[in-house]
Amino acid sequence: MSTFGPEYIRAIAPYQAGKPIAEVAREYGLDEANIVKLASNENPFGIPESSRAAMLAAAADLGRYPDANGFDLKTALAKRYDVPLEWLTLGNGSNDILEIAAHAFVQKGEAVVYSQYSFAVYALATQGVGGRAIVVPAVDYGHDLDAMAAAIDADTRLVYVANPNNPTGTFIPAAQIEAFLQKVPAHVIVVLDEAYNEYLAPEHQFESSTWVRTYPNLIVSRTFSKAYGLAGLRVGFAIAQPAVTDLMNRIRQPFNVNSLAQAAAVAALNDTPFLDQGARNNADGYRQMIAAFEELGLEYVPSFGNFVLVRVGDDDGAGARVNVALLKQGVIVRPVGNYGLPQWLRISIGLPQENAAFIEALKKALR
Ligand SMILES: *Cc1c(COP(=O)(O)O)cnc(C)c1O
């Protein structure tokens, strides 16, 4: 074990990403073209055509640095969310936003509250600044907001809330979020991570930027990686009042969002047909998945995202075992043992034929 650097950095377990298609093809001697990847909650339609065209046009200027202030993208976002430009922070993916928040608001030894079974990056961002994690037990695989509010202690500076949550897919209704925001002390920052917001059915949608007007300690985080299909470009953004935004702006990298990503995101933001198609496919695919789980008698957590968590056995080797059986058949999903869910797998919702291939492979894997 290295003795370089602080102990809290050495203690970090690196983020485990979904296995790349090429790697699985090499390891299992499979043809890349036959591999189905449902492991990283990516958009099965890929990048929108509108973004591809915008990127190609922007490529002509790649000899220059990106716009450090992201004027065009912020202008488009400001219009969409009806907030001033000074309320927006762009991120190299919303992961960047989650980390910037930790760096801006948490010092070594101060505390960060988040839920059990919530997004792995909250732990990483906390450890990265030497923060103390207060992990609040989940209820029904989702956030227990009352317990989270109660867990905030004198040293707490930040709370992460994922809605919908990854990897469990659970959702917190607007009224509960608002009640929580009222309870959190005014000096504690709340990061509301809404990476899957665009997948919510209209009756569950709430324009959380309106909360930002009421709560000066709130940061709403969104991404272009999921519903907008731009995961490989890395672009996300935050909405917060100017005092908070100003601090995040001071510590972000000056050119944290590249030119291609900025151009592609502007195009995607206004590509309503692409979003609609994705939402329809996701709703249909979710029904396809849970019908299969019900037929197989498998427990699953009702999901509000573009993925679903399913329990593939009752021993702690089940997730890893079924995962390998799926990999051998060219299907990549996400084991979640690192989240403390060793009996479960997280499956991203793909195109109908990808979902069907997964379901067939799962049936074989369980036999
Ligand atoms: C995927 C995801 C993100 C963001 O990913 P980026 O690609 O960095 O924008 C953030 N939060 C949650 C809960 C996610 O699942």
Side-chain angles (χ1 to χ4, degrees):
M1 184 47 147
S2 167
T3 51
F4 292 118
E7 181 358 73
Y8 61 84
I9 298 293
R10 281 182 266 138
I12 293 176
Y15 183 80
Q16 291 175 15
K19 266 180 178 293
I21 289 177
E23 187 181 313
V24 172
R26 270 196 312 274
E27 274 179 28
Y28 293 88
L30 301 166
D31 183 351
E32 281 190 32
N34 297 330
I35 290 179
V36 170
K37 184 181 179 214
L38 301 174
S40 300
N41 300 346
E42 293 150 342
N43 194 313
F45 293 101
I47 183 171
E49 271 311 316
S50 56
S51 293
R52 191 189 302 272
M55 245 171 55
L56 286 176
D61 264 340
L62 281 178
R64 303 208 179 271
Y65 279 99
D67 177 355
N69 292 315
F71 180 78
D72 290 345
L73 179 52
K74 282 191 188 170
T75 302
L77 290 166
K79 191 162 161 232
R80 164 66 56 89
Y81 294 105
D82 192 22
V83 293
L85 294 192
E86 297 70 38
W87 290 40
L88 294 164
T89 306
L90 302 184
N92 184 26
S94 59
N95 264 275
D96 194 22
I97 298 291
L98 304 174
E99 286 206 357
I100 289 172
H103 280 279
F105 302 108
V106 184
Q107 295 184 61
K108 186 169 179 300
E110 293 179 334
V112 177
V113 171
Y114 52 86
S115 175
Q116 180 188 26
Y117 309 140
S118 65
F119 191 39
V121 169
Y122 308 154
L124 292 173
T126 302
Q127 287 174 295
V129 297
R132 175 168 59 88
I134 301 178
V135 185
V136 177
V139 170
D140 295 334
Y141 302 98
H143 292 52
D144 181 346
L145 288 184
D146 289 337
M148 287 177 71
I152 293 172
D153 65 13
D155 300 329
T156 301
R157 299 290 174 268
L158 185 74
V159 183
Y160 289 110
V161 175
N163 197 36
N165 183 43
N166 172 20
T168 62
T170 52
F171 172 71
I172 312 162
Q176 288 181 34
I177 301 264
E178 175 112 52
F180 175 73
L181 291 171
Q182 281 166 7
K183 275 192 247 173
V184 174
H187 68 277
V188 174
I189 297 285
V190 176
V191 176
L192 181 58
D193 177 1
E194 299 187 320
Y196 302 95
N197 175 273
E198 298 81 7
Y199 283 110
L200 291 174
E203 67 270 24
H204 294 125
Q205 292 268 357
F206 182 84
E207 201 36 83
S208 40
S209 57
T210 60
W211 286 328
V212 176
R213 281 172 242 283
T214 311
Y215 299 97
N217 58 334
L218 177 63
I219 299 172
V220 169
S221 168
R222 299 273 184 99
T223 183
F224 283 91
S225 295
K226 309 286 161 58
Y228 291 106
L230 302 181
L233 279 171
R234 316 302 304 126
V235 50
F237 64 96
I239 309 175
Q241 288 194 17
V244 163
T245 300
D246 174 56
L247 287 176
M248 293 202 291
N249 187 48
R250 288 170 197 233
I251 58 127
R252 73 174 173 90
Q253 284 186 40
F255 303 105
N256 60 339
V257 182
N258 71 73
S259 318
L260 299 185
Q262 292 188 31
V266 171
L269 187 66
N270 297 310
D271 197 336
T272 311
F274 182 84
L275 273 193
D276 290 348
Q277 176 193 36
R280 270 197 309 278
N281 179 75
N282 194 61
D284 293 348
Y286 178 67
R287 279 192 292 272
Q288 186 184 2
M289 291 283 190
I290 64 170
F293 297 154
E294 275 160 20
E295 185 194 323
L296 292 166
L298 299 179
E299 184 187 353
Y300 62 91
V301 180
S303 175
F304 292 79
N306 65 344
F307 56 89
V308 54
L309 191 68
V310 61
R311 187 158 171 236
V312 292
D314 7 88
D315 63 284
D316 284 352
R321 190 171 61 241
V322 174
N323 181 52
V324 170
L326 290 170
L327 284 172
K328 285 182 179 156
Q329 301 176 75
V331 176
I332 315 175
V333 301
R334 182 69 70 90
V336 282
N338 60 323
Y339 280 94
L341 296 163
Q343 304 174 354
W344 300 74
L345 292 173
R346 189 195 69 191
I347 327 297
S348 306
I349 293 164
L351 300 172
Q353 63 273 23
E354 294 175 319
N355 303 334
F358 157 71
I359 290 165
E360 277 317 299
L362 178 65
K363 286 179 181 168
K364 282 193 195 138
L366 292 173
R367 274 206 291 271

